[in-house]
Amino acid sequence: MKGNSKHSKLRMLRIAVSVVLFSLITFYFLDFAEITGHNSWLERVQLVPALLSGSMVIVLALLVLTLLFGRVYYSSICPMGVFQDLFNWMARKMNKKKKYGYRPERKWLRWGILAVAVIAWFADFTFLAGLVEPYSAYGRMAANVFSPVYMALNNLLAWVFNSFGNYTFYFVDISIRAVASFVVALLTLAIVVHFAFHWGRTYCNTICPVGTFLGFFSRFSWFKLHIDTDKCNNCGLRGLKCKGYCIDTKNHKIDYSRCITCFDCLDNCHKGAMTYGLRKKALPAEAVSAKTEISEETPEVTPKSVVQQQVATPADDSRRRFILTSVATAAAIPVALAGKQTASLFADDFKPSERMVPLSPPGSVSHSHFLKHCTSCHLCVTKCPSHVLKPALLEYGLEGFMQPMMDFEKGFCNFDCTVCGDVCPNGAIKPLTVEQKHKTQMGRVVFIQQNCIVERDHTSCGACSEHCPTQAVAMVTYKDGLTIPKVDPEICVGCGGCEYVCPAKPYKAIYIEGNAVQQEAKPFVEEKKEDVVIDDFGF
């Protein structure tokens, strides 16, 4: 008999909860149609976002959960953990004889990575901590890799349905917001999949700093897995099937700091020697050694043999992906440089509209606050309805790599929109009311008259003034019956509407200069529009 019904139900319950939570949080990242809305609790129950946002109730709840039941956070709540289980399951389906075995804990590596992540956070180098933080790493994969694929499938369905006169699906624009973030997300995906496919949960047990942190507390959990040495016949099967490499079948020991409480070993034990319940006192050393002597005739897969099996597995795929990504990135650089050189040939009389200070999202308070709290999960990037948030390269400096910034190439910030603050789980972007958003000044308008087409081409325009919600850009009398923009930076909120619509090329005539510390814009008075009465037609 394979396990017992009680333990099988535990495993099935764990799988059901994991699938539901994983599906919901993944769809929340991919949902461009706003089916799930903007307020979700799924990303707020992740450990690091709760810690950074000061949600100590959630942090304490996760610690209590770990002290009670072990590392259930990694078996069901963390999306990165469940994602690895998916590929681990695929690997076992493809190779029925796949075995794992036991490996000693690599303490220096686990605690070293955790120490580097903590030091990086205290040194305001949050992006380094965000690289290995599981929720943020999975969020970047979802936002930068999964989302374009999801949109492409949507467009395929839209094409099929529309051809039959059904418009349930509609076409959406597919774009990669930042090449660097896409490359990082793709590399993260390749590394995680490679680890999960070949070595189970080694990524969680060795690399992930959250796994190390919670693993410390799981050593003292009340409910644990136990090995009944009276029932055990030392077949070694439970250890060979443990994807966490934490069951030492030879010595009848379990490394609880690495056990993810997946309950797979309960089903794999034919004798029912594996149980899950309240912790028990450790057996005397003599009892364990006596039981171990019986098992010496049973072949055991040692860490060395497991390593040999893994070395035999080809690793060319991940190398090939890395080489292709590097070539693609290198090819993009000369194209970008060529574009800049072409623009400079026709821009002798133009003044470059180069932003010196980047714009952080509304509600981010200041660059220092934003860089301290943002781990670059890119949830705000994928949720922004105007598509004005873009992962930074080096605009914030190296410490702000991949953190979202305002970019008005594809749109502008809606005057009434507060989505980014509503969805941010880290507290990096504070939630704002619509009234507060109207007063938050992310940046100030700058007008370069010599770039304006009214000045250069002697033609009327006024597009910037028409798109300004605060009247920070107004049209005044110029010459020859024309009008030209006049700006008032004090009442500008930095929404970027003027910059987005400005038709001047190659350099904009009007743009937004960012505020390192967000200010409160001065209130503006709406102009009273007189009703014009027309007595008759004009012809």
Side-chain angles (χ1 to χ4, degrees):
M1 184 176 178
K2 195 174 182 180
N4 58 57
S5 59
K6 176 186 173 182
H7 292 146
S8 295
K9 288 178 181 178
L10 271 178
R11 181 172 177 269
M12 294 308 296
L13 177 62
R14 191 269 304 174
I15 292 174
V17 172
S18 302
V19 170
V20 170
L21 294 181
F22 176 75
S23 301
L24 288 175
I25 197 169
T26 301
F27 184 68
Y28 189 60
F29 270 92
L30 304 180
D31 177 26
F32 60 83
E34 300 182 8
I35 298 173
T36 55
H38 298 142
N39 294 304
S40 171
W41 55 270
L42 292 167
E43 74 283 1
R44 301 183 190 277
V45 297
Q46 305 299 320
L47 180 63
V48 172
L51 189 63
L52 292 177
S53 64
S55 303
M56 299 313 297
V57 173
I58 295 176
V59 174
L60 289 175
L62 292 174
L63 290 179
V64 170
L65 188 68
T66 304
L67 287 171
L68 284 175
F69 304 108
R71 286 176 62 189
V72 292
Y73 175 86
Y74 253 104
S75 63
S76 298
I77 300 175
C78 176
M80 182 66 86
V82 183
F83 179 73
Q84 292 174 74
D85 279 346
L86 174 63
F87 284 90
N88 178 257
W89 174 80
M90 291 172 58
R92 285 184 291 175
K93 287 294 181 182
M94 295 172 64
N95 182 7
K96 298 288 185 179
K97 297 182 179 180
K98 188 172 180 61
K99 299 176 182 179
Y100 295 107
Y102 171 75
R103 287 181 182 175
E105 177 189 8
R106 293 180 173 86
K107 285 186 178 181
W108 64 271
L109 184 58
R110 296 182 70 193
W111 290 97
I113 293 175
L114 177 60
V116 169
V118 172
I119 293 171
W121 182 72
F122 276 106
D124 292 343
F125 229 64
T126 317
F127 101 89
L128 191 59
L131 281 177
V132 289
E133 194 275 309
Y135 162 75
S136 300
Y138 183 77
R140 285 190 297 273
M141 293 192 305
N144 294 280
V145 181
F146 303 159
S147 184
V149 176
Y150 177 75
M151 290 181 175
L153 292 174
N154 170 83
N155 288 353
L156 178 61
L157 289 174
W159 176 76
V160 173
F161 275 67
N162 291 0
S163 62
F164 290 99
N166 187 317
Y167 298 95
T168 303
F169 296 90
Y170 56 89
F171 289 96
V172 293
D173 291 331
I174 304 173
S175 62
I176 295 174
R177 297 295 288 141
V179 174
S181 293
F182 174 75
V183 171
V184 171
L186 201 60
L187 287 174
T188 304
L189 176 64
I191 292 171
V192 170
V193 169
H194 184 73
F195 267 85
F197 200 85
H198 296 288
W199 302 309
R201 285 296 199 98
T202 302
Y203 182 90
C204 295
N205 291 341
T206 306
I207 298 176
C208 178
V210 177
T212 302
F213 176 74
L214 292 180
F216 172 78
F217 293 95
S218 67
R219 295 175 188 265
F220 313 103
S221 62
W222 279 40
F223 287 84
K224 292 182 175 181
L225 290 166
H226 304 285
I227 302 175
D228 188 339
T229 54
D230 293 327
K231 293 182 180 180
C232 180
N233 65 350
N234 301 289
C235 67
L237 185 61
R238 60 182 179 270
L240 298 179
K241 296 294 183 180
C242 177
K243 57 193 174 188
Y245 294 93
C246 62
I247 301 179
D248 184 357
T249 55
K250 186 176 181 179
N251 297 306
H252 296 90
K253 291 182 179 180
I254 300 174
D255 184 351
Y256 295 109
S257 71
R258 293 185 291 157
C259 176
I260 58 171
T261 323
C262 65
F263 305 129
D264 287 354
C265 57
L266 298 179
D267 268 9
N268 287 318
C269 183
H270 297 280
K271 297 296 182 179
M274 291 294 297
T275 57
Y276 179 74
L278 286 170
R279 60 185 176 189
K280 302 176 182 178
K281 291 183 179 180
L283 289 173
E286 295 81 4
V288 174
S289 59
K291 194 71 180 178
T292 304
E293 290 175 1
I294 305 174
S295 65
E296 291 183 355
E297 296 180 1
T298 305
E300 180 72 30
V301 178
T302 62
K304 184 176 180 180
S305 62
V306 173
V307 171
Q308 288 173 350
Q309 292 172 10
Q310 293 164 352
V311 170
T313 305
D316 292 340
D317 289 344
S318 58
R319 294 174 184 170
R320 202 174 292 119
R321 290 190 195 99
F322 177 76
I323 294 172
L324 289 174
T325 304
S326 303
V327 171
T329 306
I333 294 174
V335 174
L337 293 175
K340 286 188 176 182
Q341 291 174 354
T342 303
S344 65
L345 294 175
F346 302 96
D348 294 337
D349 299 331
F350 286 85
K351 181 179 179 181
S353 51
E354 295 182 359
R355 204 180 340 266
M356 303 303 296
V357 180
L359 280 84
S360 56
S364 56
V365 184
S366 65
H367 285 184
S368 59
H369 170 87
F370 189 57
L371 299 180
K372 185 78 173 178
H373 292 80
C374 178
T375 54
S376 308
C377 72
H378 293 174
L379 180 59
C380 59
V381 175
T382 190
K383 283 292 184 180
C384 178
S386 303
H387 307 294
V388 297
L389 290 179
K390 172 184 178 180
L393 186 58
L394 297 175
E395 287 82 358
Y396 291 121
L398 183 60
E399 63 273 19
F401 178 58
M402 294 193 300
Q403 295 187 348
M405 67 174 188
M406 307 289 284
D407 180 73
F408 306 119
E409 181 183 356
K410 295 183 178 294
F412 58 93
C413 186
N414 190 300
F415 192 48
D416 296 328
C417 180
T418 60
V419 170
C420 54
D422 293 338
V423 302
C424 179
N426 291 20
I429 307 174
K430 300 290 185 181
L432 300 174
T433 63
V434 174
E435 291 74 19
Q436 290 172 327
K437 169 70 183 300
H438 289 174
K439 299 177 183 178
T440 302
Q441 187 184 72
M442 301 169 282
R444 298 185 173 205
V445 61
V446 177
F447 176 56
I448 307 175
Q449 184 169 327
Q450 68 191 72
N451 293 355
C452 184
I453 63 171
V454 178
E455 167 88 10
R456 297 186 63 83
D457 301 336
H458 303 287
T459 184
S460 61
C461 183
C464 53
S465 176
E466 293 173 1
H467 282 74
C468 180
T470 65
Q471 298 174 8
V473 183
M475 302 303 292
V476 296
T477 303
Y478 180 50
K479 59 184 178 182
D480 299 330
L482 298 173
T483 56
I484 200 166
K486 179 183 178 182
V487 299
D488 183 357
E490 298 297 323
I491 63 175
C492 175
V493 294
C495 70
C498 56
E499 179 178 337
Y500 169 65
V501 299
C502 179
K505 293 181 180 180
Y507 297 114
K508 298 281 188 179
I510 194 166
Y511 70 99
I512 305 298
E513 184 62 50
N515 288 337
V517 178
Q518 294 185 351
Q519 308 292 329
E520 182 177 334
K522 289 185 177 181
F524 65 96
V525 180
E526 292 190 24
E527 295 181 353
K528 294 183 179 180
K529 297 182 179 180
E530 299 181 359
D531 294 331
V532 179
V533 179
I534 301 177
D535 296 330
D536 201 353
F537 291 106
F539 53 87

